[in-house]
Protein backbone atom coordinates (compact mmCIF):
# COMPACT_ATOMS: atom_id res chain seq x y z
CA UNK A 1 0.00 0.00 0.00
CA UNK A 2 2.83 2.42 0.79
CA UNK A 3 4.99 1.45 -2.21
CA UNK A 4 3.50 3.92 -4.75
CA UNK A 5 3.80 6.72 -2.21
CA UNK A 6 7.43 5.79 -1.53
CA UNK A 7 8.03 6.20 -5.29
CA UNK A 8 6.31 9.60 -5.22
CA UNK A 9 8.54 10.66 -2.33
CA UNK A 10 11.65 9.57 -4.20
CA UNK A 11 10.63 11.37 -7.39
CA UNK A 12 9.40 14.61 -5.78
CA UNK A 13 11.67 17.63 -6.09
CA UNK A 14 9.63 19.56 -3.54
CA UNK A 15 7.61 18.03 -0.74
CA UNK A 16 5.25 19.96 1.52
CA UNK A 17 4.11 18.38 4.79
CA UNK A 18 1.12 19.60 6.79
CA UNK A 19 0.79 18.16 10.28
CA UNK A 20 -1.91 18.31 12.93
CA UNK A 21 -2.49 17.02 16.43
CA UNK A 22 -2.43 13.35 15.34
CA UNK A 23 1.27 13.81 14.57
CA UNK A 24 1.96 14.01 18.30
CA UNK A 25 -0.60 11.45 19.48
CA UNK A 26 2.01 8.69 19.72
CA UNK A 27 4.19 10.99 21.82
CA UNK A 28 1.37 11.00 24.35
CA UNK A 29 -0.16 14.39 23.56
CA UNK A 30 -3.93 13.95 23.28
CA UNK A 31 -5.29 15.27 19.98
CA UNK A 32 -7.03 18.60 20.22
CA UNK A 33 -10.51 17.21 19.97
CA UNK A 34 -9.73 14.38 22.45
CA UNK A 35 -7.87 16.52 24.97
CA UNK A 36 -10.82 17.35 27.14
CA UNK A 37 -10.59 14.91 29.99
CA UNK A 38 -11.12 15.08 33.72
CA UNK A 39 -11.76 18.57 34.99
CA UNK A 40 -11.86 20.01 31.49
CA UNK A 41 -14.25 17.49 29.95
CA UNK A 42 -17.18 19.88 30.00
CA UNK A 43 -15.43 22.49 27.81
CA UNK A 44 -15.03 22.49 24.04
CA UNK A 45 -11.63 23.73 22.74
CA UNK A 46 -13.44 26.67 21.15
CA UNK A 47 -14.67 27.68 24.62
CA UNK A 48 -11.15 27.85 26.05
CA UNK A 49 -8.95 28.82 23.12
CA UNK A 50 -10.36 32.23 22.32
CA UNK A 51 -9.81 35.82 23.36
CA UNK A 52 -13.37 36.07 24.64
CA UNK A 53 -12.85 33.04 26.87
CA UNK A 54 -9.59 34.45 28.23
CA UNK A 55 -11.08 37.88 28.94
CA UNK A 56 -14.08 36.28 30.63
CA UNK A 57 -11.97 34.07 32.91
CA UNK A 58 -8.20 34.59 32.49
CA UNK A 59 -7.36 32.35 35.47
CA UNK A 60 -9.25 29.38 34.13
CA UNK A 61 -7.87 29.59 30.59
CA UNK A 62 -4.34 30.18 31.95
CA UNK A 63 -4.63 27.02 34.09
CA UNK A 64 -5.76 25.00 31.09
CA UNK A 65 -2.66 26.13 29.18
CA UNK A 66 -0.43 25.43 32.19
CA UNK A 67 -1.82 21.89 32.30
CA UNK A 68 -1.08 21.42 28.60
CA UNK A 69 2.40 22.97 28.93
CA UNK A 70 3.27 20.59 31.76
CA UNK A 71 2.04 17.62 29.76
CA UNK A 72 4.03 18.64 26.68
CA UNK A 73 7.22 19.24 28.70
CA UNK A 74 7.16 15.58 29.74
CA UNK A 75 6.85 13.99 26.28
CA UNK A 76 9.35 13.32 23.49
CA UNK A 77 9.20 13.54 19.70
CA UNK A 78 8.16 10.21 18.15
CA UNK A 79 9.51 8.20 15.21
CA UNK A 80 7.40 10.25 12.80
CA UNK A 81 8.84 13.59 13.95
CA UNK A 82 12.32 12.07 13.77
CA UNK A 83 11.79 10.66 10.26
CA UNK A 84 10.77 14.11 8.98
CA UNK A 85 13.77 15.80 10.59
CA UNK A 86 16.18 13.15 9.27
CA UNK A 87 14.76 13.45 5.73
CA UNK A 88 15.22 17.21 5.86
CA UNK A 89 18.85 16.76 6.98
CA UNK A 90 19.57 14.30 4.15
CA UNK A 91 17.79 16.46 1.55
CA UNK A 92 18.31 20.13 2.42
CA UNK A 93 15.77 22.45 0.80
CA UNK A 94 13.50 19.68 -0.50
CA UNK A 95 10.92 19.54 2.29
CA UNK A 96 8.83 22.33 3.80
CA UNK A 97 7.23 21.42 7.10
CA UNK A 98 4.04 23.24 8.03
CA UNK A 99 2.39 22.45 11.34
CA UNK A 100 -0.78 23.41 13.16
CA UNK A 101 0.74 22.02 16.35
CA UNK A 102 1.87 24.33 19.11
CA UNK A 103 3.80 21.64 21.01
CA UNK A 104 7.24 22.32 19.50
CA UNK A 105 7.94 18.59 18.97
CA UNK A 106 9.03 18.99 15.33
CA UNK A 107 11.55 21.59 16.43
CA UNK A 108 12.76 19.37 19.29
CA UNK A 109 13.22 16.50 16.81
CA UNK A 110 15.60 18.76 14.87
CA UNK A 111 13.44 20.12 12.05
CA UNK A 112 14.61 23.57 10.97
CA UNK A 113 12.45 26.37 9.62
CA UNK A 114 9.17 24.80 10.78
CA UNK A 115 6.22 26.98 9.73
CA UNK A 116 4.23 26.96 12.99
CA UNK A 117 0.91 28.36 11.79
CA UNK A 118 -0.68 28.39 15.25
CA UNK A 119 2.33 29.59 17.28
CA UNK A 120 4.13 27.83 20.11
CA UNK A 121 2.57 27.01 23.46
CA UNK A 122 5.86 27.61 25.27
CA UNK A 123 5.75 31.34 24.46
CA UNK A 124 3.76 34.14 26.07
CA UNK A 125 2.79 37.59 24.83
CA UNK A 126 0.83 40.57 26.14
CA UNK A 127 -2.94 40.42 25.77
CA UNK A 128 -3.29 44.11 24.92
CA UNK A 129 -0.82 46.28 23.03
CA UNK A 130 2.06 46.66 25.53
CA UNK A 131 2.62 50.15 26.94
CA UNK A 132 5.96 51.46 28.21
CA UNK A 133 5.11 50.23 31.71
CA UNK A 134 4.61 46.67 30.45
CA UNK A 135 7.98 46.42 28.74
CA UNK A 136 10.04 48.36 31.26
CA UNK A 137 9.60 45.86 34.08
CA UNK A 138 9.24 42.11 34.44
CA UNK A 139 5.64 40.90 34.55
CA UNK A 140 4.37 40.50 38.09
CA UNK A 141 3.90 36.87 39.10
CA UNK A 142 0.39 35.63 38.92
CA UNK A 143 -1.96 33.29 37.14
CA UNK A 144 -1.67 34.81 34.58
CA UNK A 145 1.27 37.16 35.14
CA UNK A 146 0.34 40.83 34.73
CA UNK A 147 1.85 44.30 34.40
CA UNK A 148 2.07 45.66 37.94
CA UNK A 149 1.28 49.18 36.69
CA UNK A 150 -1.55 48.91 34.15
CA UNK A 151 -2.80 45.37 34.75
CA UNK A 152 -2.20 44.15 31.17
CA UNK A 153 -2.17 40.33 31.20
CA UNK A 154 0.21 37.79 29.72
CA UNK A 155 -1.40 35.17 27.49
CA UNK A 156 -0.09 32.15 25.59
CA UNK A 157 1.37 33.14 22.19
CA UNK A 158 -0.82 30.75 20.26
CA UNK A 159 -3.38 31.54 17.58
CA UNK A 160 -6.84 31.39 19.10
CA UNK A 161 -10.14 30.84 17.31
CA UNK A 162 -11.08 34.01 15.47
CA UNK A 163 -7.49 35.28 15.28
CA UNK A 164 -5.38 35.71 12.18
CA UNK A 165 -2.41 33.46 11.50
CA UNK A 166 1.14 34.84 11.41
CA UNK A 167 1.26 36.38 7.94
CA UNK A 168 4.80 35.41 6.94
CA UNK A 169 4.37 31.77 7.98
CA UNK A 170 1.03 31.47 6.18
CA UNK A 171 2.41 33.04 2.99
CA UNK A 172 5.40 30.69 3.06
CA UNK A 173 3.12 27.71 3.62
CA UNK A 174 0.88 28.76 0.72
CA UNK A 175 3.92 29.14 -1.53
CA UNK A 176 5.15 25.67 -0.55
CA UNK A 177 1.71 24.19 -1.29
CA UNK A 178 1.46 25.95 -4.63
CA UNK A 179 4.87 24.67 -5.70
CA UNK A 180 5.09 21.10 -4.49
CA UNK A 181 5.16 17.79 -6.30
CA UNK A 182 3.85 16.00 -3.26
CA UNK A 183 2.03 17.01 -0.09
CA UNK A 184 1.77 14.75 2.94
CA UNK A 185 -1.17 15.63 5.20
CA UNK A 186 -0.53 13.97 8.54
CA UNK A 187 -2.80 13.65 11.57
CA UNK A 188 -5.25 16.46 11.01
CA UNK A 189 -9.03 16.34 11.01
CA UNK A 190 -8.92 19.06 8.32
CA UNK A 191 -11.71 21.12 9.84
CA UNK A 192 -9.81 24.26 10.82
CA UNK A 193 -9.09 26.84 8.12
CA UNK A 194 -7.00 28.38 6.65
CA UNK A 195 -4.55 25.55 7.51
CA UNK A 196 -6.75 22.83 6.03
CA UNK A 197 -7.07 24.85 2.82
CA UNK A 198 -3.38 24.29 2.11
CA UNK A 199 -4.15 20.69 1.15
CA UNK A 200 -6.65 21.93 -1.44
CA UNK A 201 -4.07 24.34 -2.90
CA UNK A 202 -1.40 21.71 -3.44
CA UNK A 203 -0.01 21.69 -6.96
CA UNK A 204 1.19 18.09 -6.65
CA UNK A 205 -0.21 14.81 -5.40
CA UNK A 206 -1.78 14.79 -1.95
CA UNK A 207 -1.40 11.88 0.46
CA UNK A 208 -3.43 11.78 3.68
CA UNK A 209 -1.96 9.81 6.59
CA UNK A 210 -4.59 9.25 9.25
CA UNK A 211 -5.99 6.14 10.96
CA UNK A 212 -9.49 7.67 10.79
CA UNK A 213 -11.49 9.40 8.06
CA UNK A 214 -10.77 13.13 7.79
CA UNK A 215 -12.32 16.11 6.01
CA UNK A 216 -9.37 16.15 3.61
CA UNK A 217 -9.70 12.59 2.34
CA UNK A 218 -11.56 13.84 -0.72
CA UNK A 219 -8.58 16.03 -1.66
CA UNK A 220 -6.19 13.06 -1.54
CA UNK A 221 -4.75 11.03 -4.39
CA UNK A 222 -3.99 8.36 -1.81
CA UNK A 223 -5.23 7.84 1.76
CA UNK A 224 -3.02 5.77 4.04
CA UNK A 225 -4.94 4.45 7.04
CA UNK A 226 -2.19 4.26 9.61
CA UNK A 227 -0.38 6.32 12.18
CA UNK A 228 2.27 8.98 11.80
CA UNK A 229 4.94 7.16 13.80
CA UNK A 230 4.47 3.97 11.77
CA UNK A 231 4.02 5.31 8.28
CA UNK A 232 6.38 8.30 8.07
CA UNK A 233 9.51 6.20 8.72
CA UNK A 234 8.31 3.69 6.09
CA UNK A 235 7.75 6.44 3.53
CA UNK A 236 10.77 8.62 4.20
CA UNK A 237 13.59 6.28 5.21
CA UNK A 238 15.81 4.96 2.46
CA UNK A 239 16.73 1.30 2.68
N1 LIG B 1 -1.34 9.34 13.52
C1 LIG B 1 -1.97 10.11 12.60
N2 LIG B 1 -3.16 10.69 12.80
C2 LIG B 1 -3.76 10.50 13.98
C3 LIG B 1 -3.18 9.71 15.00
C4 LIG B 1 -1.91 9.11 14.74
N3 LIG B 1 -1.28 8.36 15.64
N4 LIG B 1 -4.01 9.71 16.07
C5 LIG B 1 -5.08 10.47 15.75
N5 LIG B 1 -4.93 10.94 14.48
C6 LIG B 1 -5.82 11.85 13.74
C7 LIG B 1 -7.28 11.80 14.14
O1 LIG B 1 -7.94 10.76 13.44
C8 LIG B 1 -7.77 13.19 13.71
O2 LIG B 1 -8.19 13.19 12.36
O3 LIG B 1 -5.41 13.16 14.04
C9 LIG B 1 -6.51 14.05 13.83
C10 LIG B 1 -6.54 15.06 14.97
O4 LIG B 1 -7.55 15.99 14.74
P1 LIG B 1 -7.78 17.26 15.68
O5 LIG B 1 -7.76 16.85 17.11
O6 LIG B 1 -8.99 17.95 15.15
O7 LIG B 1 -6.47 18.15 15.47
P2 LIG B 1 -6.09 19.18 14.31
O8 LIG B 1 -6.63 18.75 12.99
O9 LIG B 1 -4.62 19.39 14.42
O10 LIG B 1 -6.83 20.49 14.79
C11 LIG B 1 -6.58 21.67 14.08
O11 LIG B 1 -7.78 23.05 15.57
O12 LIG B 1 -8.33 23.21 17.73
C12 LIG B 1 -7.60 23.81 16.74
O13 LIG B 1 -5.66 25.15 16.73
C13 LIG B 1 -6.12 23.85 17.05
O14 LIG B 1 -4.25 23.27 15.64
C14 LIG B 1 -5.53 22.84 16.09
C15 LIG B 1 -6.53 22.88 14.95
Amino acid sequence: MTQPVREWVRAARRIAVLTGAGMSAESGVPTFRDAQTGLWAKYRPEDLASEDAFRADPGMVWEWYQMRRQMIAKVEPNAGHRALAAFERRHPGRLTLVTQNVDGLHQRAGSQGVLALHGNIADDKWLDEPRDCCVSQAAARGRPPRCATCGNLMRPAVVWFGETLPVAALRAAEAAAADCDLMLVVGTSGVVYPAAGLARMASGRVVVINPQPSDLDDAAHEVLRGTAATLLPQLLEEE
Side-chain angles (χ1 to χ4, degrees):
M1 185 176 75
T2 54
Q3 194 50 36
V5 181
R6 283 174 57 87
E7 298 296 333
W8 296 349
V9 169
R10 209 162 300 158
R13 284 171 311 116
R14 291 185 200 284
I15 302 175
V17 181
L18 171 67
T19 68
M23 181 75 230
S24 300
E26 287 151 284
S27 291
V29 183
T31 61
F32 213 89
R33 279 160 188 78
D34 290 339
Q36 308 312 88
T37 54
L39 273 180
W40 304 101
K42 59 184 170 178
Y43 300 102
R44 296 180 308 147
E46 293 83 349
D47 296 335
L48 293 162
S50 74
E51 185 179 329
D52 284 350
F54 187 78
R55 287 189 187 278
D57 194 341
M60 182 186 75
V61 174
W62 182 259
E63 287 307 319
W64 183 58
Y65 277 95
Q66 292 301 91
M67 182 270 294
R68 292 178 60 207
R69 286 170 165 169
Q70 283 159 14
M71 180 204 306
I72 287 164
K74 285 188 209 134
V75 305
E76 298 292 333
N78 64 50
H81 296 107
R82 292 196 299 272
L84 286 165
F87 186 92
E88 188 190 289
R89 269 196 302 278
R90 289 197 306 274
H91 303 280
R94 226 170 119 195
L95 184 145
T96 303
L97 180 50
V98 183
T99 189
Q100 299 167 83
N101 298 344
V102 297
D103 57 32
L105 289 177
H106 284 304
Q107 295 87 334
R108 279 170 56 193
S111 286
Q112 307 281 326
V114 179
L115 298 172
L117 295 181
H118 294 166
N120 195 314
I121 198 169
D123 300 331
D124 286 329
K125 64 179 184 183
W126 291 107
L127 176 61
D128 292 313
E129 194 57 41
R131 302 181 195 167
D132 290 347
C133 53
C134 305
V135 289
S136 65
Q137 58 195 342
R141 281 166 174 277
R143 296 167 139 339
R146 62 181 63 231
C147 173
T149 306
C150 72
N152 196 2
L153 298 176
M154 291 297 255
R155 54 159 279 186
V158 298
V159 176
W160 278 335
F161 288 97
E163 294 183 332
T164 52
L165 276 59
V167 175
L170 181 60
R171 293 275 172 278
E174 287 169 347
D179 183 27
C180 70
D181 306 301
L182 177 66
M183 178 181 279
L184 305 178
V185 178
V186 187
T188 179
S189 53
V191 297
V192 173
Y193 283 76
L198 294 168
R200 303 195 180 276
M201 265 176 218
S203 53
R205 290 190 176 101
V206 174
V207 176
V208 162
I209 298 173
N210 197 316
Q212 304 291 330
S214 82
D215 272 24
L216 292 173
D217 290 1
D218 67 306
H221 297 77
E222 184 76 66
V223 177
L224 299 178
R225 285 277 171 253
T227 72
T230 314
L231 288 177
L232 286 173
Q234 287 177 28
L235 297 177
L236 299 176
E237 281 166 14
E238 283 122 45
E239 53 271 338

